Amino acid sequence: MAVRVGVLGATGAVGQRLIQLLDPHPEFEIAALTASASSAGKQYRQAAKWRVDSPIPEDVAEMTVTATDPDEVPDDVDLLFSSLPSSIGAEVEPAFCEAGYVMSSNSSNARMAEDVPLIIPEVNADHLELLEVQRDERGWDGAMVKNPNCSTITFVPTLAALEEFGLERVHVSTLQAVSGAGYDGVTSMEIIDNAIPYIGSEEEKLETESRKLLGEFDGAELSHDSVEVAASCNRISTLDGHLENVWVEAQEELTPEDAADAMEAYPSLDLRSSPDQLIHVFEEPDRPQPRLDRTLGGGMAISAGGFRESTFGLQYNCLAHNTMRGAAGASVLNGELLLENGYL
Ligand code: 11C
């Protein structure tokens, strides 16, 4: 029988992608939708300005949206996907966990909390065991798992593939799509013929989340990885797909061929939404490109190319679909991981 799930923040950009990925889904069935107070009581088709690239599922269109409040979500909902704005997530997500709901959240609040697993299943599924620490410390019947920021998800799996070479220092420079800012964040008129070399708190997220993801959990504490990460972030006029330029200095010799082989061989998982090949490696120097390559693996794969030696060590480019692999798809994958590991 399918697990009954709810979507918190169902009318936003990531909430809409979540609905697209969850209806239909072989393991999950949407049973609750929440949004802001102004949408509560409305049918979803009236509450949401639907903008994703497939029709709104008919059964979802007819559901009534409720306020984002634990008392409004049925008790037999076992898993919540949260795409709430972080200020609201910080306020209400703990109340849902206290009320017994298990939550896979894309919201940026609490990602760096020491007892909250920040998970990319292919990179650090073992960090899920932090939930025992979380349960002890917070006394929750429910649980909170987070996925990282979309631009962090784009490059961390490529670093994980290179860990055997002893990562020392990484610099990453991003070219981020406008959809990362949500529907209202950057309008097309602001960004056409332009690039904006600043995305609020984004650089810090790449620098800190990457070290938490690559850190080690010893059963009691999580130690953050010692790799040094410096990030610079830019908004460009792509619609979907974050492209990143990465420079890596490693302890061991790391040739472009070694790096490409290690990424190509880096394993995917057999969760429902896992792509067959996690990292696609391109030989063409002008790939990956957002418009051509963001939908590889149903939007859940990462791609890499442009491997070369540079003054600052190995250099390459990588790409992922920011609202699929980087946000909604990342939360769904974490939900599947929670199910597979008996947390639901
Ligand atoms: C952007 N990466 O492209 C951001 C959006 O922490 O989940 C996602 C912010 C986050 O603007």
Side-chain angles (χ1 to χ4, degrees), residues 14 86 106-109 111 147-152 176-182 186 199-202 205-206 209 235 242 322 326-327:
V14 176
S86 58
N106 176 65
S107 305
S108 62
N109 53 288
R111 279 190 190 142
N147 60 261
N149 181 17
C150 44
S151 49
T152 307
Q176 297 183 219
V178 288
S179 57
V186 180
I199 302 174
S201 74
E202 191 81 352
K205 288 181 192 172
L206 272 86
E209 292 177 10
R235 184 78 65 200
H242 289 349
N322 54 303

Side-chain angles (χ1 to χ4, degrees), residues 174-212:
T174 70
L175 302 131
Q176 297 183 219
V178 288
S179 57
Y183 289 136
D184 303 321
V186 180
T187 67
S188 54
M189 290 310 284
E190 275 177 277
I191 193 77
I192 286 176
D193 187 31
N194 206 5
I196 301 172
Y198 173 75
I199 302 174
S201 74
E202 191 81 352
E203 290 162 357
E204 186 188 346
K205 288 181 192 172
L206 272 86
E207 291 165 1
T208 56
E209 292 177 10
S210 55
R211 296 178 70 232
K212 181 172 179 182

Side-chain angles (χ1 to χ4, degrees), residues 128-149:
L128 213 52
E129 289 170 34
L130 259 178
L131 288 179
E132 306 307 322
V133 176
Q134 185 183 94
R135 215 157 259 174
D136 286 350
E137 288 188 359
R138 308 218 189 195
W140 287 343
D141 288 331
M144 181 190 289
V145 170
K146 294 274 171 177
N147 60 261
N149 181 17

Side-chain angles (χ1 to χ4, degrees), residues 250-285:
Q251 285 158 9
E252 311 286 328
E253 188 189 359
L254 175 56
T255 65
E257 295 73 28
D258 290 338
D261 289 348
M263 287 188 201
E264 190 128 50
Y266 193 75
S268 188
L269 297 175
D270 59 3
L271 298 170
R272 294 280 182 171
S273 303
S274 304
D276 292 340
Q277 175 77 30
L278 180 62
I279 306 177
H280 285 256
V281 171
F282 284 97
E283 285 180 13
E284 299 90 325

